[in-house]
Amino acid sequence: MNFRHRSGQKSEPEINLVPLIDVMLVIIIFLMLTTTFSKTAGLEISLPTVDASGKQSISREIKVAVTASGDVIIGGMPVSNKSIQSIASALAGARPAQGPEPVININADAQASHQSVINVMQASQHAGFTHVTFEVQQGQNR
């Protein structure tokens, strides 16, 4: 066997780029078609409005107001501390001695923090009240 090179012909390797480009385009098209784009959307919450013709009166109720700064006022008397225990003791002190259990009527400012309202609800539970309502402002549908 003769393994000698021919002196007149030197062969250089060639890289054919056309098949490489074809394969790359097919891979790009495949990835574009199979990739899912997830869109993270926020929750849109529509708060309920009241469309009542008249206000119902509750004979036995304890009015609790929550201000925008988070202060709690029970029956016209401000509570010195915003803790659940302080609010619960003030609610227990506002409970009448006799008669049926009163209803806790929470009137919270629109700018009041959610935590302040939850604290009043937990305090009413700790004080032994089972009926809690919210006072709302009659408005137009949005």
Side-chain angles (χ1 to χ4, degrees):
M1 280 204 203
N2 190 2
F3 288 110
R4 291 188 199 160
H5 294 297
R6 295 184 187 163
S7 62
Q9 290 183 349
K10 280 194 168 179
S11 65
E12 290 194 22
E14 292 183 20
I15 298 176
N16 194 353
L17 292 178
V18 174
L20 178 68
I21 292 172
D22 289 344
V23 170
M24 292 303 290
L25 282 174
V26 168
I27 290 174
I28 288 173
I29 291 171
F30 176 76
L31 288 175
M32 285 174 45
L33 292 177
T34 59
T35 302
T36 59
F37 298 102
S38 63
K39 179 181 176 184
T40 57
L43 294 175
E44 290 187 30
I45 298 175
S46 300
L47 297 177
T49 58
V50 176
D51 195 23
S53 59
K55 183 179 178 183
Q56 293 180 348
S57 62
I58 301 172
S59 60
R60 313 255 316 160
E61 69 179 1
I62 299 174
K63 290 192 175 269
V64 179
V66 180
T67 64
S69 61
D71 296 328
V72 178
I73 301 167
I74 298 174
M77 302 294 294
V79 178
S80 61
N81 193 352
K82 297 179 187 179
S83 69
I84 296 173
Q85 291 79 17
S86 301
I87 299 170
S89 64
L91 284 171
R95 180 191 294 257
Q98 297 178 15
E101 178 185 348
V103 176
I104 304 296
N105 189 351
I106 299 174
N107 184 3
D109 189 89
Q111 301 300 319
S113 70
H114 187 68
Q115 185 63 50
S116 300
V117 177
I118 296 297
N119 286 346
V120 172
M121 292 173 63
Q122 285 181 340
S124 64
Q125 182 184 17
H126 287 288
F129 294 101
T130 57
H131 302 291
V132 177
T133 62
F134 292 94
E135 197 167 313
V136 292
Q137 182 177 7
Q138 188 170 356
Q140 298 175 358
N141 292 337
R142 295 179 190 191

